[in-house]
Amino acid sequence: MDPDDLNTERIVTVFGGTGFLGRRIVKRLLERGFTVRAASRHPARVGQVFSSTARPPEAVEADILDASSIGTAIDGSQAIVNAVSLYVEQGAQTFERVHVEAAAELAAASRAGEVDRFVQISGIGSDPQSDSNYIRARGRGEEAVASAFPGAIIVRPAVMTGPDDVFLTTIVRLIRLLPVYPLFGDGGTRLQPVYVEDVADAVSRLIGGRNHKGSSIFEFGGPRIYTYKELLREIARQLDTHIRLMPVPFAAWDALAGVAELLPGAPITRNQVDLMRHDNVAAIGAPGLKELDIAPRDIEEVIRLIERRA
């Protein structure tokens, strides 16, 4: 029997269930018949995000930064997904607190609550030894979760794309607006953009019991690897427009991002600049979408969605 047919009595709680990836994971799990809880600091948002969903998730008020608030969300759950992410530090919300300490506390509480499966959303390139506070916290968070919940599944997506993302959507808009497009450095950083819906589908399959030889770490990338320069040219080609590229040193980007972080909604952060210094591609031999029987979609489909939305 297909594991998807046995899901109706299984409760999955998704922390960060209204976010860019989290809400898509929730929808995929609902489609597979799971009973889903979307844990959020603002449960009223759950109803807004899933207003058009035929069978909406249960909204549960919980703050991953408040260990005393997560018990109700975890209670009775067979699986937990931690899709909470932070890109700009604000006050007590630091990378260390969110990606390391809170993730470990959630994993430990899940283990104590006899949860069967724990999925931690991380990212390709996470490195506990990195000089970047963000990248280092992601790597340390993976280690902390694995220690608190042995057998936890770590999911590392490449940069994710979608019609409402802040990566590809921004590039499409700026290519149409700017006479000259600035590169990060010389544009040689390698990227493997992956469609967010494919990542959500993969997470739902992992929750459903599909795995690859009991793997504990998955890296999800798209079907093609581009240098940043190649990616911009490919996007321009699909938009049927001309693009002129200009190399910009990373030091200049650091200075620009430092100022941008003072603005509401920070259009670019120093952590994003740090990420662009390093290749963001799935490791050779790492289990990924293929091992979960998912054919990843290329950026062409996402660009069509972005254009239609615009």
Side-chain angles (χ1 to χ4, degrees):
M1 182 178 292
D2 192 315
D4 292 353
D5 295 331
L6 305 175
N7 295 336
T8 54
E9 299 302 318
R10 299 186 65 191
I11 298 173
V12 183
T13 298
V14 181
F15 285 80
T18 59
F20 176 62
L21 173 61
R23 67 177 179 269
R24 290 171 164 91
I25 293 174
V26 168
K27 288 181 179 179
R28 290 287 184 170
L29 290 169
L30 288 170
E31 290 168 359
R32 290 186 178 276
F34 288 97
T35 297
V36 184
R37 293 174 182 159
S40 172
R41 290 180 299 164
H42 308 290
R45 283 197 62 202
V46 175
Q48 298 168 2
V49 171
F50 298 99
S51 59
S52 61
T53 305
R55 188 168 66 90
E58 176 188 352
V60 179
E61 184 173 2
D63 183 354
I64 194 174
L65 298 179
D66 179 5
S68 65
S69 75
I70 62 179
T72 301
I74 290 174
D75 187 41
S77 299
Q78 280 70 52
I80 301 292
V81 178
N82 180 18
V84 175
S85 60
L86 180 72
Y87 297 102
V88 179
E89 294 181 305
Q90 294 180 331
Q93 294 188 14
T94 66
F95 298 135
E96 180 74 13
R97 181 72 189 98
V98 173
H99 293 302
V100 184
E101 296 172 5
E105 290 165 1
L106 178 59
S110 298
R111 185 184 184 190
E114 299 184 347
V115 169
D116 294 330
R117 186 158 297 172
F118 190 97
V119 176
Q120 171 75 7
I121 307 299
S122 184
I124 286 178
S126 299
D127 179 3
Q129 304 301 320
S130 173
D131 292 333
S132 163
N133 291 338
Y134 173 77
I135 298 173
R136 183 172 62 253
R138 280 295 207 181
R140 282 173 38 76
E142 291 182 3
E143 293 179 338
V145 165
S147 176
F149 196 110
I153 297 174
I154 307 297
V155 168
R156 296 173 179 163
V159 59
M160 291 183 284
T161 65
D164 55 339
D165 69 4
V166 294
F167 177 70
L168 199 57
T169 301
T170 301
I171 293 176
V172 167
R173 184 176 72 253
L174 293 180
I175 282 179
R176 289 201 178 282
L177 288 174
L178 299 178
V180 179
Y181 199 102
L183 293 170
F184 286 95
D186 64 0
T189 302
R190 296 162 67 239
L191 305 171
Q192 193 177 1
V194 62
Y195 187 29
V196 64
E197 296 287 356
D198 291 337
V199 177
D201 189 11
V203 172
S204 74
R205 295 187 186 205
L206 289 170
I207 292 296
R210 301 187 189 184
N211 204 327
H212 176 69
K213 300 179 181 179
S215 300
S216 60
I217 297 177
F218 287 79
E219 298 202 349
F220 298 142
R224 182 175 168 186
I225 296 173
Y226 306 84
T227 64
Y228 187 57
K229 184 186 301 184
E230 290 170 344
L231 177 64
L232 294 175
R233 286 176 173 159
E234 176 62 18
I235 294 170
R237 186 187 68 80
Q238 293 189 22
L239 296 175
D240 194 24
T241 188
H242 176 69
I243 185 172
R244 293 176 59 195
L245 303 175
M246 178 179 69
V248 176
F250 277 101
W253 282 109
D254 285 332
L256 176 63
V259 174
E261 287 177 11
L262 301 176
L263 303 174
I268 188 169
T269 69
R270 283 168 291 183
N271 300 297
Q272 290 171 324
V273 174
D274 284 339
L275 288 171
M276 288 303 299
R277 295 179 191 270
H278 308 283
D279 291 346
N280 190 253
V281 301
I284 296 175
L289 297 175
K290 178 182 177 181
E291 283 70 27
L292 296 173
D293 299 321
I294 297 173
R297 285 166 281 188
D298 204 353
I299 61 169
E300 181 175 359
E301 180 173 339
V302 184
I303 291 173
R304 285 199 301 268
L305 293 173
I306 291 171
E307 290 285 271
R308 192 177 307 151
R309 184 178 177 130

